[in-house]
Amino acid sequence: MKKRVGFVLFMLLALCNGWPGQKPVALELISSLPKENTDVYFKTSPMLSVDPSGNIYAVDNRDHIIYKFDKKTHAILRIGRQGQGPGELMFPSLIYSDENRIYVKDNVGLSIFNVQGNYLSRFRLFYMIISMAVEKETVYLAQAGTPNLISIYDINGNKISSFGSKYSVDYSLYDRWPSQLADYVVNSGKILLSKDHVFFVSTLFADVFKYTRAGNLVSKTKLVSKEWVKKIEEHFFKKGLKYKKKEESVFGFFLDVAFDDGYFYGMVMRNIFKDCPGDIIKVNEKDMAISEAFVFPDSDKAKKKNYQSLCLLKGKDNRPFFVVSLYDKELADHRINIYQQRR
Amino acid sequence: MSKGIDEIQIVMRFQFGTKDKKSFLLLAAALFLTSAVFFILSYFNNLENFLSHKLSLLRELSGERRTAVYLIKSVNTWCHPCPTIEELLIKDVNIYFFVDSDFSDQDITNLKEAVGLPYDCIVQRMGPFIESVYKKCNRGEHRLMWNYLVLFSDTDMGDVEEIRRF
């Protein structure tokens, strides 16, 4: 009887965490970029995007440049240069690529290049951009400083519509923060597109907002256990933050999130959230339950690596490769690592 | 230890004895007055600078006309609408808005929406004259405020008529 109760309690606890308790899948490093004897050097951990052909695009915020790597991870293109003119980039921070175009958000606006690296067009942006996703020449932008979270533009900058509500922020708790910046921080997240839906995943609080393509909210679900993000919510909604106060380092739950084939892949700040079963968790979109967890080969040295951006590369048997940008404190170098799942 | 203190007391008595007390007080008063004068001068100097920054917007350059020139470079701002633009709009100041020459019509429409400018407000693309003014002012008189580069109309920046001709 006691054993049964114990088992039921264990199962309940496991389900509360949304984690059925399997052993996490070990990842192994298969490639690291930039390779030696190339003239590629990252000044920051780049933001990444992978196109449907498997090319990797990396945008370096301090070098004001985009690098294109082919499937075999050879650097094949260098796109843009520092400046504010057409085809130039000024502190680029977001990148998105599809089969024909590369979209880059910088301090001036949204520049569009073809996959050969030729400049096509640009439109200006006048709000802080939280996240960007593009599909069929329709640009989805999550913006701070606007009443709605997501705005849809065509590639000429013509605003089509906007939707999605934001977290309500008590600005009085944010000492000396410009309101748009507080809005930007609290609503940090990522726009992800599926065939029929638009998702917005809050990287701070691990909430998933599911919208129809018309912008109607279908559901709001938490991707992980409420306990895991309780402290973060308290900090942002009850305590607030003081501007530029160094000792107050507050982290979000996810570092980055990707979506593929009905599953969310969230890269977790694991050295803070030690209860989380893996460095990357895979969550089923249908039931929002964690179905798999993955650990980096050097997971025990997590403090010595600052992970930044996550992308998925199609692998064999629908098991994706993980493309991750990071700062390796031991090597004192910004790198892009490609991991595969160990069999 | 006590010997040391005695020595100091002797020195103090010698320096600030009854005869020297007056001169000391005079010296102190002079120092106080001088510092006060310096303080007032620097205060007014700062004040003048401060006011000239604030009030040059409202400076009357041609008769009764109040003019300000705004050169909006890259507006990827986190704090808008720009309060100064709002103030000026309320105060009915003539404002010339200039943007980079490659701003599209759509960019200008989006800018007006983001900054809170009235839709009938004329925003012009920068041409050679304003560009030269911008370059000139970039070296000296300029003010970068929340990514809005605000150029104040001034005599050394060219005549308002010239701006109007442009």
Side-chain angles (χ1 to χ4, degrees):
Chain A
M1 184 64 184
K2 272 183 184 173
K3 273 185 183 174
R4 270 189 191 173
V5 173
F7 178 73
V8 170
L9 276 173
F10 171 76
M11 285 307 288
L12 273 173
L13 270 171
L15 285 173
C16 280
N17 275 348
W19 169 241
Q22 296 108 321
K23 203 178 169 191
V25 178
L27 297 174
E28 60 183 344
L29 183 69
I30 54 165
S31 187
S32 187
L33 307 173
K35 288 180 175 169
E36 280 178 23
N37 304 321
T38 59
D39 58 349
V40 179
Y41 168 75
F42 299 128
K43 287 184 180 171
T44 51
S45 302
M47 296 304 284
L48 304 172
S49 180
V50 174
D51 71 13
S53 314
N55 298 304
I56 300 168
Y57 298 90
V59 66
D60 192 330
N61 182 266
R62 297 268 172 86
D63 213 8
H64 317 276
I65 209 167
I66 306 161
Y67 290 104
K68 180 179 178 179
F69 299 90
D70 66 8
K71 277 181 199 171
K72 292 173 183 172
T73 64
H74 298 305
I76 52 168
L77 264 183
R78 203 185 273 258
I79 306 164
R81 61 173 184 180
Q82 185 173 4
Q84 293 187 31
E88 295 175 332
L89 299 169
M90 202 70 187
F91 296 102
S93 55
L94 294 171
I95 185 162
Y96 199 93
S97 56
D98 57 24
E99 50 282 302
N100 301 316
R101 293 188 173 91
I102 311 159
Y103 303 83
V104 190
K105 181 257 153 192
D106 69 352
N107 272 6
V108 176
L110 185 82
S111 295
I112 304 169
F113 299 85
N114 64 17
V115 285
Q116 286 78 38
N118 301 314
Y119 169 77
L120 298 175
S121 63
R122 172 173 74 178
F123 68 89
R124 307 267 171 164
L125 295 167
F126 303 106
Y127 297 100
M128 290 181 86
I129 306 298
I130 299 164
S131 178
M132 169 176 73
V134 188
E135 193 182 64
K136 290 175 189 165
E137 300 188 357
T138 305
V139 184
Y140 294 79
L141 295 173
Q143 295 175 320
T146 49
N148 289 327
L149 180 64
I150 298 169
S151 297
I152 304 176
Y153 293 85
D154 65 17
I155 53 167
N156 300 313
N158 185 25
K159 193 173 167 184
I160 300 163
S161 65
S162 64
F163 60 89
S165 55
K166 295 181 177 179
Y167 291 106
S168 56
V169 183
D170 182 358
Y171 289 121
S172 63
L173 299 173
Y174 287 77
D175 184 29
R176 283 177 285 146
W177 279 67
S179 59
Q180 197 179 148
L181 189 59
D183 191 17
Y184 176 85
V185 170
V186 174
N187 291 290
S188 297
K190 193 142 182 201
I191 300 177
L192 299 163
L193 303 174
S194 75
K195 197 182 164 194
D196 302 315
H197 295 100
V198 179
F199 296 100
F200 182 80
V201 182
S202 160
T203 45
L204 283 186
F205 314 115
D207 291 321
V208 182
F209 298 84
K210 183 178 179 179
Y211 300 96
T212 61
R213 284 298 168 116
N216 299 315
L217 182 69
V218 179
S219 62
K220 181 197 166 191
T221 326
K222 210 164 261 309
L223 269 181
V224 295
S225 162
K226 280 183 182 173
E227 285 302 309
W228 292 352
V229 288
K230 198 177 166 185
K231 272 191 181 173
I232 308 172
E233 288 180 334
E234 271 177 14
H235 224 107
F236 281 92
F237 294 124
K238 288 180 184 167
K239 275 179 78 179
L241 297 174
K242 281 186 180 140
Y243 195 49
K244 288 184 177 173
K245 198 177 174 188
K246 274 188 179 172
E247 60 266 31
E248 201 171 25
S249 24
V250 182
F251 301 101
F253 190 79
F254 289 123
L255 291 157
D256 201 2
V257 191
F259 185 78
D260 182 51
D261 207 19
Y263 290 94
F264 296 102
Y265 293 84
M267 186 160 66
V268 181
M269 198 170 265
R270 192 129 172 266
N271 53 337
I272 309 286
F273 303 99
K274 292 188 173 71
D275 294 341
C276 193
D279 296 305
I280 296 173
I281 52 171
K282 181 181 174 184
V283 181
N284 191 336
E285 184 252 306
K286 283 180 184 161
D287 56 8
M288 295 290 175
I290 301 176
S291 63
E292 253 182 313
F294 309 91
V295 284
F296 291 127
D298 41 9
S299 187
D300 53 323
K301 293 179 183 172
K303 278 186 183 173
K304 290 179 179 170
K305 290 182 170 42
N306 290 341
Y307 297 99
Q308 173 81 41
S309 181
L310 168 74
C311 267
L312 306 172
L313 245 178
K314 282 275 180 201
K316 286 173 188 172
D317 313 328
N318 277 336
R319 295 182 75 78
F321 295 122
F322 298 107
V323 186
V324 177
S325 69
L326 65 142
Y327 177 69
D328 192 319
K329 289 178 190 170
E330 282 180 324
L331 300 171
D333 199 8
H334 298 280
R335 318 255 348 140
I336 299 172
N337 286 353
I338 304 173
Y339 299 96
Q340 74 173 5
Q341 300 167 40
R342 205 177 274 172
R343 300 292 165 109
Chain B
M1 186 76 178
S2 59
K3 198 181 174 186
I5 290 168
D6 287 346
E7 277 172 7
I8 292 165
Q9 281 172 349
I10 289 162
V11 171
M12 283 181 78
R13 268 183 212 138
F14 174 74
Q15 281 189 341
F16 307 122
T18 40
K19 273 192 179 178
D20 292 312
K21 213 170 191 173
K22 274 184 188 171
S23 57
F24 170 71
L25 285 171
L26 276 170
L27 187 71
L31 276 171
F32 175 76
L33 280 171
T34 318
S35 59
V37 167
F38 271 110
F39 174 77
I40 290 163
L41 281 175
S42 67
Y43 174 77
F44 276 108
N45 196 27
N46 284 338
L47 192 71
E48 196 196 332
N49 281 341
F50 173 76
L51 286 175
S52 72
H53 266 299
K54 282 282 174 196
L55 296 179
S56 61
L57 284 170
L58 309 172
R59 199 176 290 162
E60 292 173 12
L61 289 168
S62 59
E64 294 299 308
R65 197 174 288 276
R66 292 165 162 184
T67 308
V69 177
Y70 272 70
L71 192 71
I72 305 172
K73 289 290 288 176
S74 58
V75 189
N76 184 15
T77 172
W78 60 28
C79 196
H80 66 84
C82 176
T84 323
I85 290 179
E86 275 195 330
E87 280 169 25
L88 290 167
L89 286 171
I90 292 163
K91 287 176 182 169
D92 198 26
V93 175
N94 287 332
I95 317 170
Y96 296 84
F97 291 97
F98 292 98
V99 290
D100 271 351
S101 52
D102 67 331
F103 264 57
S104 67
D105 290 346
Q106 189 61 53
D107 287 335
I108 291 171
T109 309
N110 291 354
L111 165 78
K112 284 180 182 175
E113 188 198 331
V115 177
L117 295 176
Y119 281 92
D120 56 354
C121 168
I122 296 164
V123 177
Q124 297 177 66
R125 291 178 187 87
M126 213 169 22
F129 172 71
I130 291 294
E131 194 134 23
S132 69
V133 171
Y134 167 64
K135 279 176 185 164
K136 187 183 170 190
C137 293
N138 232 0
R139 288 199 297 270
E141 281 278 316
H142 77 284
R143 186 181 176 200
L144 194 63
M145 182 181 178
W146 303 114
N147 285 334
Y148 293 83
L149 186 70
V150 183
L151 299 183
F152 301 110
S153 291
D154 212 329
T155 43
D156 65 341
M157 274 178 54
D159 195 70
V160 176
E161 285 301 320
E162 211 171 335
I163 294 170
R164 219 173 282 143
R165 272 205 303 276
F166 163 82

